[in-house]
Amino acid sequence: MITFADRLNTVEEYYFSKKLREVNLLKSQGKPIINLGIGSPDLEPPSRVIDAITESMNDAVAHKYQSYQGLPELREAMAGFYKEHYGVSLSPLTEVLPLMGSKEGIMHISMAFLNEGDEVLIPNPGYPTYESVTKLVGAKPVFYDLVAENDWCPDFLTLEKSDLSKVKLMWVSYPHMPTGATASNKVFEDIIAFAKRHNILVVNDNPYSFVLNDYPRSILKYKGAKEVCLELNSLSKTFNMAGWRVGMVLGKTEYINAILKVKSNMDSGMFYGIQKGAIEALKCSKMWFTSLNSVYEERRQKVWKLATALNCTYDENATGLFVWAKLPPHLKAEDYIDMILKEHSIFVAPGTIFGSNGEGYIRFSLCAPIEELQEAIARVKLGVGVQ
């Protein structure tokens, strides 16, 4: 028998990949499942984006291989977006690299900077892909605690007491997924200072800046950040383009070139039409964000009511595409979400999939129409099962 690579022994199938098979099986059996587990936007992209990709089909170069670095006008649009919305100046020629979704950037960055045995600081709770990719490239995950008492921000006093001699990379994500916590100016400054002291490359994963957040920030705006920081960003949540797979990594030229070495051996360029659509998205005015957030604000109010009906508590100052809710004492997250799924046909994510510090929490997505959210509230308040 042909054996599998040893690296596969270090990771498991992604939780949502497994759980959604169960959810879809229940749907196929006639269960009216309301899915509040996944952050996949259900709203439309800007109409100008659809027009751009449609019109691009007639361009002579539309179906050819594209540059590994993306169209020059796409990089210019990305740099312009950062200048307008974050106040960050970037060279579109050397400091911006388009990606096929920011998730591939996690792999590309890890392959470009990590050797076997290097250590990586990973937030707990945090995006599970940081850990899995770290293991796949042969590096070692080292988790740092994020807790509500510290506003889900790193405790640098504790970190400084640990052995950091093998740490090469640190993942941060503000606005934070899954909690929705934001980082203050001081937190970003402390992250940069910590990275400089220990010669660590920090990557801020920043796809939720514009969802229910009045103060979008980029770590690259802070003094000295480019020396030790990269930033990942995405059009998935900002412009309802999750399936388009458009992301970007931004930072110092030398770092971008290292990532490009990996990327250029992994794909043959992003489809031309998607790039043209992305350019138009990045040119949208602030009215787009106002309109988008008016929808999410209404939905969040409903999700808060649903969380309250389930006897959960939550932080009304949190941002982003989710509501991170604390369960009543002594309840286990995975047991509780299974109970909700069985009794009410509502699927939500258990906090434990984001790390051990997610125990006692569940996460609701705002990616469902008002009608479904109202139905979910009714099911819970009535306390009856759904056949």
Side-chain angles (χ1 to χ4, degrees):
M1 178 180 175
I2 304 297
T3 58
F4 303 120
D6 290 343
R7 69 177 61 88
L8 291 186
N9 296 326
T10 68
V11 297
E12 295 181 0
E13 184 183 0
Y14 193 45
Y15 171 84
F16 285 119
S17 176
K18 293 186 294 183
K19 194 66 177 181
L20 286 178
R21 282 202 298 273
E22 178 185 340
V23 170
N24 289 332
L25 177 61
L26 290 172
K27 282 186 173 181
S28 71
Q29 295 170 347
K31 291 286 187 180
I33 306 296
I34 296 174
N35 187 346
L36 303 180
I38 307 296
S40 180
D42 59 312
L43 301 171
E44 293 285 326
S47 58
R48 61 195 290 175
V49 173
I50 305 299
D51 292 342
I53 191 172
T54 302
E55 293 168 6
S56 74
M57 294 301 99
N58 295 318
D59 292 358
V61 299
H63 309 293
K64 294 184 176 182
Y65 287 125
Q66 299 298 313
S67 165
Y68 301 109
Q69 296 170 281
L71 294 170
E73 53 265 44
L74 176 58
R75 299 197 306 273
E76 289 167 5
M78 289 173 170
F81 183 84
Y82 258 70
K83 181 65 176 177
E84 179 180 358
H85 297 288
Y86 295 115
V88 174
S89 296
L90 295 161
S91 166
L93 292 175
T94 63
E95 296 181 318
V96 178
L97 180 62
L99 301 170
M100 293 181 187
S102 60
K103 190 173 184 180
E104 79 156 10
I106 298 172
M107 175 62 82
H108 292 348
I109 291 167
S110 297
M111 292 183 72
F113 290 94
L114 296 174
N115 293 313
E116 188 171 350
D118 284 342
E119 294 182 347
V120 181
L121 289 173
I122 295 173
N124 175 15
Y127 186 33
T129 299
Y130 306 145
E131 177 186 3
S132 58
V133 167
T134 297
K135 290 179 176 178
L136 284 170
V137 300
K140 179 183 176 182
V142 176
F143 297 97
Y144 64 94
D145 289 326
L146 302 180
V147 295
E149 292 75 17
N150 199 39
D151 299 322
W152 305 104
C153 290
D155 180 347
F156 290 105
L157 291 178
T158 299
L159 275 172
E160 291 284 1
K161 295 175 184 176
S162 57
D163 180 7
L164 301 169
S165 60
K166 294 183 179 180
V167 174
K168 185 81 170 289
L169 189 65
M170 178 180 187
W171 291 100
V172 299
S173 175
Y174 292 102
H176 183 244
M177 199 291 293
T179 70
T182 56
S184 65
N185 292 330
K186 184 179 185 304
V187 168
F188 278 126
E189 290 165 355
D190 288 347
I191 291 170
I192 294 164
F194 173 79
K196 287 183 176 180
R197 282 195 300 274
H198 299 285
N199 196 33
I200 295 170
L201 177 64
V202 170
V203 186
N204 185 43
D205 193 6
N206 190 17
Y208 296 98
S209 284
F210 297 94
V211 181
L212 296 174
N213 180 26
D214 293 332
Y215 302 103
R217 291 187 175 101
S218 165
I219 199 170
L220 297 176
K221 186 176 181 179
Y222 296 86
K223 184 178 179 180
K226 285 186 182 179
E227 297 173 34
V228 290
C229 298
L230 289 167
E231 185 154 279
L232 285 171
N233 215 320
S234 168
L235 275 64
S236 294
K237 278 71 177 182
T238 306
F239 297 104
N240 303 326
M241 295 168 64
W244 292 55
R245 310 313 303 137
V246 183
M248 64 196 90
V249 59
L250 314 108
K252 187 177 180 180
T253 301
E254 290 80 0
Y255 298 157
I256 296 298
N257 286 342
I259 299 165
L260 179 59
K261 281 187 179 181
V262 175
K263 178 176 171 55
S264 62
N265 283 286
M266 300 287 283
D267 65 63
S268 297
M270 188 187 302
F271 178 56
Y272 176 83
I274 286 178
Q275 294 189 67
K276 298 296 278 188
I279 291 165
E280 288 304 312
L282 291 162
K283 292 178 181 178
C284 285
S285 73
K286 291 183 179 180
M287 282 301 298
W288 164 257
F289 306 115
T290 300
S291 175
L292 183 69
N293 283 319
S294 68
V295 175
Y296 283 135
E297 179 57 41
E298 184 181 9
R299 292 180 176 188
R300 185 169 65 174
Q301 293 288 336
K302 297 296 183 184
V303 170
W304 284 347
K305 288 184 179 180
L306 176 59
T308 300
L310 290 166
N311 298 313
C312 297
T313 56
Y314 45 86
D315 178 6
E316 292 189 5
N317 294 314
T319 67
L321 204 59
F322 307 100
V323 170
W324 180 250
K326 186 174 178 59
L327 294 170
H330 312 304
L331 291 179
K332 296 292 185 181
E334 293 195 29
D335 292 342
Y336 196 68
I337 71 109
D338 285 341
M339 182 273 289
I340 295 171
L341 182 59
K342 180 180 179 181
E343 294 191 2
H344 305 299
S345 291
I346 300 169
F347 172 53
V348 297
T352 46
I353 67 175
F354 306 105
S356 60
N357 287 341
E359 182 59 88
Y361 292 87
I362 56 177
R363 191 196 72 173
F364 300 88
S365 167
L366 302 182
C367 299
I370 286 292
E371 295 76 18
E372 289 192 5
L373 297 175
Q374 289 174 327
E375 169 64 18
I377 294 167
R379 291 180 188 179
V380 172
K381 285 189 172 181
L382 288 172
V384 296
V386 179
Q387 300 301 318

